[in-house]
């Protein structure tokens, strides 16, 4: 997959979505920025930061995704593959349902997905070097470019959802002491039931992970 590198973008996600919609760019394509000034986080929160941290988005045609992947679980799927790559690079992090990267009890990054026509666009932001956005950082010297190359290499193997889920299902237990925002309400994950499609049953209602 081709990677377009920029010294600065307002948002890798907004840039890529705009270029796809205008048909200037076509999937598969990836975008990496050294700095980001108006990035998009969960619930429309900003995700910004300077050099040394990781700001990237990529687009994949839906037909190339694993057949057993439910799109509502794409954020879990893409995030968990990144978590695996970081573990291979010696970083001990885990994935909080559905799309937040944590080191111990502190958030260091997150993932956001968006469907654009027949493609899925995924943006990932991780505080590798500097604590920003009110969150912690890995304090790592990993190069964002090398991390992205290794991630895309792992992603392009397109592991089946069931294989990713079998590992995430075990790790989900770490999420139980946390809460998530669902329809603007903060809800505990303590008694949540994780379903095979990546959704949760909370208070008798099914909640999907797509953000």
């Amino acid at each position: 997959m081709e990677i377009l590198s920029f010294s600065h973008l307002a948002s890798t996600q907004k840039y890529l979505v705009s270029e796809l919609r205008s048909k200037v760019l076509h999937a598969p394509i990836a975008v990496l920025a050294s700095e980001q000034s108006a990035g998009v986080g969960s619930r429309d929160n900003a995700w910004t930061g300077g050099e040394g941290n990781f700001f990237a988005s990529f687009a994949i045609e839906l037909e190339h995704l694993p057949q057993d992947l439910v799109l509502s679980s794409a954020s879990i799927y893409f995030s968990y593959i990144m978590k695996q790559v970081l573990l291979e690079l010696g970083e001990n992090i885990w994935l909080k349902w559905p799309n937040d990267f944590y080191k111990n009890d502190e958030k260091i990054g997150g993932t956001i997905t968006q469907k654009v026509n027949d493609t899925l666009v995924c943006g990932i932001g991780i505080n590798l070097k500097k604590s920003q956005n009110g969150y912690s950082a890995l304090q790592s010297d990993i190069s964002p470019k090398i991390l992205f190359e290794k991630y895309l290499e792992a992603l392009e193997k397109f592991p089946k959802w069931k294989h990713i889920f079998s590992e995430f299902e075990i790790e989900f237990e770490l999420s139980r002491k946390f809460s998530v925002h669902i329809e603007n309400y903060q809800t505990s994950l303590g008694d949540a039931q994780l379903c095979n499609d990546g959704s949760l049953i909370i208070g008798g209602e099914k909640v999907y992970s797509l953000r």
Side-chain angles (χ1 to χ4, degrees), residues 1 3-4 11-17 29-33 36 54-59 112 121-124 148 152:
M1 186 183 301
I3 300 176
L4 303 180
S11 164
T12 60
Q13 187 80 349
K14 289 179 180 177
Y15 171 82
L16 186 51
V17 167
I29 191 71
V31 175
L32 181 70
Q36 182 171 266
F54 184 84
F55 313 101
S57 293
F58 56 89
I112 191 166
V121 182
C122 176
I124 301 179
F148 202 25
L152 293 177

Side-chain angles (χ1 to χ4, degrees), residues 27-197:
I29 191 71
V31 175
L32 181 70
S34 298
E35 297 183 46
Q36 182 171 266
S37 57
V40 182
S42 296
R43 302 184 311 279
D44 294 325
N45 291 328
W47 189 274
T48 63
E51 196 166 354
N53 288 336
F54 184 84
F55 313 101
S57 293
F58 56 89
I60 295 175
E61 293 169 309
L62 296 178
E63 64 181 4
H64 291 150
L65 294 173
Q67 291 184 347
D68 66 338
L69 175 62
V70 178
L71 286 187
S72 60
S73 293
S75 57
I76 297 174
Y77 180 80
F78 293 135
S79 300
Y80 202 83
I81 292 173
M82 174 59 84
K83 176 250 171 161
Q84 291 174 321
V85 171
L86 284 166
L87 282 178
E88 290 173 0
L89 292 170
E91 297 295 343
N92 185 24
I93 70 167
W94 61 280
L95 182 65
K96 172 178 166 283
W97 188 92
N99 61 349
D100 291 332
F101 301 106
Y102 269 67
K103 181 178 182 181
N104 300 319
D105 289 343
E106 296 183 298
K107 180 176 177 177
I108 60 162
T111 301
I112 191 166
T113 55
Q114 181 177 351
K115 184 174 175 291
V116 179
N117 300 323
D118 294 328
T119 67
L120 200 62
V121 182
C122 176
I124 301 179
I126 303 174
N127 289 342
L128 293 177
K129 192 74 175 172
K130 305 171 186 175
S131 298
Q132 294 176 139
N133 317 297
Y135 300 115
S136 187
L138 283 176
Q139 306 297 333
S140 172
D141 289 325
I142 294 173
S143 158
K145 185 174 185 295
I146 291 175
L147 174 59
F148 202 25
E149 290 173 348
K150 288 184 177 294
Y151 174 73
L152 293 177
E153 182 180 340
L155 178 64
E156 288 171 349
K157 295 176 182 177
F158 293 117
K160 291 185 179 297
W161 162 251
K162 67 178 182 179
H163 295 150
I164 294 295
F165 179 78
S166 66
E167 295 189 29
F168 176 70
E169 186 177 20
I170 299 170
E171 188 165 287
F172 177 73
E173 296 303 311
L174 296 173
S175 293
R176 291 194 181 280
K177 63 180 178 178
F178 292 87
S179 298
V180 292
H181 284 87
I182 298 173
E183 295 181 354
N184 297 321
Y185 291 98
Q186 196 154 347
T187 305
S188 170
L189 294 176
D191 296 322
Q193 176 187 343
L194 180 64
C195 303
N196 289 339
D197 63 357

